[in-house]
């Protein structure tokens, strides 16, 4: 399969042996063709083996807007590039991207103003076990292009069929980044139990 790397991508090479100088570590690649890349190192002894791992920023925002669009529509499209949520609280907007953050406190019965409501799992009509969609591809003159779908065979077996959800990522220009976002969307939808926690104002800081 094509490597899908782009000129300027950083990669980490490990466990390569027999080359002088060593090429292990972080390198910047130049794409030769779909099967070949080069790195800026002169090797006098070829060496063998090793692994190569793409190293890139988790999220970048790449796209264009027009002044005729509504600001809220622009924001919603930009949020797709980071699996993000924009929350308005205490007179400020706060951006939460799709990344783990450590807990900052505990919730217990003293924070409740009513009973908990628990949803065991989403209804059948909301289930899906794969995500596919489109990005803007710089290799195709920034045309809208399909990225490889992310699917989960275990979930498909549970559902008895393949159910694909379509998404559009208008501010993402890399298929690897798109697949990471697709995976997060899928895994979040399959986490099962959802708890509605009616809270008092003493939880407002959270």
């Amino acid at each position: 399969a094509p490597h899908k790397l782009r000129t300027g991508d950083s990669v980490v090479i490990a466990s390569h042996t027999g080359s002088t100088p060593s090429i292990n570590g972080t390198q910047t690649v130049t794409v030769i063709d779909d099967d070949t890349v080069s790195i800026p190192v002169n090797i006098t002894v070829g060496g063998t083996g090793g692994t190569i791992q793409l190293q890139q920023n988790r999220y970048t925002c790449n796209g264009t807007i027009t002044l005729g669009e509504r600001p809220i529509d622009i924001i919603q499209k930009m949020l797709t590039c980071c699996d993000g949520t924009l929350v308005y609280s205490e007179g400020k907007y706060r951006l939460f991207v799709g990344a783990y953050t450590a807990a900052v406190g505990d919730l217990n019965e003293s924070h409740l103003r009513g009973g908990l409501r628990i949803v065991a799992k989403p209804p059948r009509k909301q289930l899906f076990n794969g995500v596919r969609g489109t990005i803007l591809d710089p290799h195709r003159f920034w045309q809208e292009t399909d990225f490889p779908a992310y699917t989960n065979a275990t979930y498909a077996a549970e559902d008895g069929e393949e159910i694909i959800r379509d998404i559009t990522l208008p501010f993402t220009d890399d298929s690897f980044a798109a697949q990471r976002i697709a995976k997060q969307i899928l895994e979040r939808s399959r986490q099962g139990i959802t708890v509605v926690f009616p809270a008092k104002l003493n939880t407002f800081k959270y």
Side-chain angles (χ1 to χ4, degrees):
H3 53 69
K4 299 181 182 178
L5 295 172
R6 298 188 296 185
T7 295
D9 279 345
S10 293
V11 300
V12 176
I13 299 174
S15 303
H16 185 270
T17 59
S19 63
T20 304
S22 172
I23 64 172
N24 289 323
T26 302
Q27 305 284 355
T28 301
V29 301
T30 298
V31 173
I32 305 301
D33 54 41
D34 285 347
D35 301 307
T36 310
V37 298
S38 68
I39 58 174
V41 176
N42 293 321
I43 301 174
T44 57
V45 179
T48 59
T51 61
I52 183 170
Q53 182 179 35
L54 176 64
Q55 185 180 59
Q56 62 179 197
N57 293 324
R58 180 180 296 181
Y59 300 121
T60 60
C61 186
N62 307 285
T64 61
I65 64 173
T66 62
L67 297 180
E69 296 179 87
R70 297 189 307 161
I72 186 62
D73 294 334
I74 295 172
I75 291 172
Q76 291 298 329
K77 289 196 296 186
M78 293 176 71
L79 288 174
T80 64
C81 75
C82 62
D83 193 24
T85 302
L86 193 65
V87 176
Y88 185 77
S89 176
E90 297 182 281
K92 297 180 180 179
Y93 284 101
R94 303 171 67 185
L95 174 62
F96 297 91
V97 302
Y100 172 77
T101 55
V104 296
D106 298 317
L107 296 178
N108 55 50
E109 62 273 11
S110 69
H111 297 98
L112 283 168
R113 59 176 171 79
L116 293 174
R117 183 164 62 87
I118 299 176
V119 181
K121 64 179 182 179
R124 173 74 182 183
K125 65 180 180 180
Q126 294 180 11
L127 286 178
F128 54 94
N129 46 57
V131 179
R132 66 188 175 197
T134 59
I135 60 172
L136 295 182
D137 190 346
H139 294 301
R140 299 187 178 182
F141 304 100
W142 301 98
Q143 296 300 305
E144 196 172 81
T145 305
D146 293 335
F147 65 84
Y150 178 84
T151 59
N152 187 303
T154 300
Y155 298 153
E158 292 175 358
D159 299 336
E161 62 178 321
E162 188 178 74
I163 308 171
I164 302 297
R165 177 181 173 183
D166 291 298
I167 63 173
T168 301
L169 301 176
F171 278 79
T172 299
D173 65 353
D174 180 87
S175 61
F176 294 115
Q179 285 188 301
R180 288 197 298 270
I181 294 171
K183 179 180 180 180
Q184 290 182 193
I185 292 172
L186 175 58
E187 295 300 329
R188 185 167 57 245
S189 76
R190 305 293 300 211
Q191 291 307 304
I193 295 176
T194 300
V195 178
V196 179
F197 191 99
K200 298 177 182 177
L201 288 178
N202 58 2
T203 65
F204 199 63
K205 60 184 177 181
Y206 299 134

